[in-house]
Amino acid sequence: MSGTGPLGAAGAVLRRDLTLFFRHRSDIINPLLFFIIVVTLVPLGVGPEESTLRVMAPGVVWVAALLAAMLSLEGIFRSDFDDGSLEQLVISPQPLALLVLAKVFAHWLVSGLPLVVLGPVLGASLFLPDRAMGTLVLSLLLGTPILSLIGAIGVALTVGVQRGGVLLSLLVLPLYIPVLIFGASAVSSAAAGLPVIGPLALLGALLALALTLAPLGAAAALRISLS
Amino acid sequence: MKRVQRGEVAIPTSITRRLWAFFHRLASPRYFYELAGKLVPWLGWGTVLLLAAGLYGGLWFAPADYQQGDAYRIIFIHVPAAWMSLFVYVLMAGAGFIGLVWRIKIADVVAKTCAPIGASFAFLTLCTGSLWGKPMWGTYWVWDARLTSELILLFLYLGYIALESAIEDRRTAARASSVLALVGVVNIPIIHYSVDWWHTLHQGPTVFKLGGPSISLDMLVPLLLMTLAFKLFFFTMLLVRARTEVLEREANSAWVRETVTSQ
Amino acid sequence: MTSFHEFIHMGGFAFYVWTSYAIFALIFAWNVFQPLFHQRRVRERLARRSRGMPR
Amino acid sequence: MGRFRPGAETDRFGIRIAASGNGVHVTLCRPGRRPCIWLHLATAGTVADKATVDDRPEIAALARRAPRLEARALECVRNDRVLFHDLDAALEPGQVLQVEGPNGCGKTSLLRILCGLSLPGAGEVYWGDAPLPEVRAEYYEALAYVGHRHGVKGELTPIENLRFHRALAGGTPDRVPGDALAHLGLEGFEDVPCRTLSEGQRRRVALARLLMTRRPLWILDEPLTALDRSGVAVVEGLIRDHARSGGMVMITTHQAIRLEGCVLGRLRLGG
């Protein structure tokens, strides 16, 4: 076997990124702390009454998850760009889109999945009814990969720009709106006992679209940003 | 001329060759600069005429609406601006795509100069929309599906302009923002659908029919005139901005030095 | 529209209609004059630069 | 801390987290099946490392296409400054081409264009008489590039860096990470995170990548920076061996490199 094929390379990228993330824990922990803090700010601002918080719970948890996911996007390409290993990825014979998908998957495992796990805990703190917990987890499970995938395109576009953080949020947030709408409405429908299959199906469709197109877009954006 | 059988269209090769030659020459910045220079006055006067006719028709000639009285006259700038803001974004994405794939410099120039005009249209749509909302819905801003989509479109424009100006190298900036415009144009229908879906979910469909069941002719004519006027205005200012951009990009070439110092 | 007074009054919605058209005029004016000023500035900069280093 | 032996059968189900000398690895063991490493955060010496390559086929023969790099009428403009214009260059197997020129004359830009990383303003790069965009995958199988930013991850150890590079690059494996590092004078530093190494040592780890897979074309952007005398000698030896066995090297450096018995071409850039 003359060296590993594309899948081997993608696996190597995934393992390397996970190793890097686990050796540099602060990149993982900070967005999660941000997620928790933002959600705890809401009752302080709006008032602790259960009635108001219960109505706002789905929206608050989803907006906080979206912001936390966006905060951690820098970690996908920034360190590779700084030390030059991003160029090695671009000139490797393996398809760049697949390597980007591996990097985004590693980033999601480290930043998106914890949001899914933390979601119900914070939902409960906002008096989200128990019957909505399942839908909250499912909607976050479908939604956070889309956030990472679309965010990867934004990060790939702004990787060459110094202080690209604010610019990244301006590019990426409008594209996050459909995910927010479907995610939050799925959870609020569940809270109200309404059927949730509609918004969740639409989230699944967005995920399918993002999974197929986003890596190609991010790969093209990377080649452009590096040139 | 080859005998044309029924049902088979034979475009004489001379026309296709001339068409291709035209586009090919258009790609050369100098030819584009001169052609644009000749077109701008004509388009400018056309815009002025159409605007005058449209405004006269819309503000003076058209009857008051049976529901809203004269407040509806804002549509004569609100609706054309909304259509144009979407049209310009799609045009920008198309020009970006051409520039990205075939590396035609003029396409990048057109894409870059489209953005500010499109953004101003989107902003105009939002302002007139909220001013129109006050008499109709009682508040300046209501999370109506169309207004929210327009607001998001404005953010897409601002994101495009911010990315274009953030990257120093001109060519990289053009190619990066073309990718962003393509991603944006794919997302516009999704955003539009999701906002409509979200709107109907929370507030139910707002029944708003423009001026009764069917818009009367003397309302429709000014609207079409204004839409044409907006389109012509857009192309005029696009060419003006594009000529400046061409001058800047071709600053090193001799013809630019000559045209700049000749005036 | 019959009289000029009615035209100004706009059936009670004068403020909204005319503010909208004022913003419309402002935005169109900006769209017309900003590029023209920019073009003049660019021409002057390029003229100075090309006179500065005649090739 | 037992050394991990792949392939050992286990009868009980569970996740074993073994912290070995250089990090943690999490192994998923399933009864009756080989334990599959679910999260492999560090690598103990696994069997796969000991791959040795006995025969050394002629390097140039590795490229599917007749290995010949050529640039025709290249032009590069960096924010309105023309760095070079109408530039032609060619590189044949067995040749070393040194790109010289003052700082800021576009040496790095030229190399990045030849690597296909950035687009030339005008002109075209040919690999085996075919334009680069058409044979991009083939070209990248034949190219090894060490740029100004050498691409060594500070958090990983040299061994991990090289192993990752080999998995990424694919192609016929040449030396084993341990040997490559030893060749570059990095014995004893194999398991130390690269951020604790000096800049010169990190540069050596990057250059050790060249020994990991056999590539006909090397493009090195100032490989001698931060290297001491012994490092420079090692790199010159690498280039000499590579060129002698039919490989091609394009190098930018300010120091004069001594390459006896190799065809050394010079390409002058900038005034």
Side-chain angles (χ1 to χ4, degrees), chain A residues 4-21:
Chain A
T4 53
L7 283 182
V13 168
L14 179 64
R15 273 200 302 279
R16 183 196 70 156
D17 272 22
L18 287 177
T19 316
L20 286 172
F21 280 131

Side-chain angles (χ1 to χ4, degrees), chain A residues 2 17 23 25 40 49 59 73 76-77 82 106 112 120 138 145 147 163 173 180 182 189 192 196 212 225:
Chain A
S2 76
D17 272 22
R23 290 195 185 163
R25 276 182 187 60
T40 47
E49 297 83 11
L73 285 178
I76 301 181
F77 296 125
D82 292 341
L138 192 52
L147 302 181
R163 292 181 320 286
L173 280 179
L180 172 64
F182 293 137
S189 310
V196 292
T212 46
S225 300

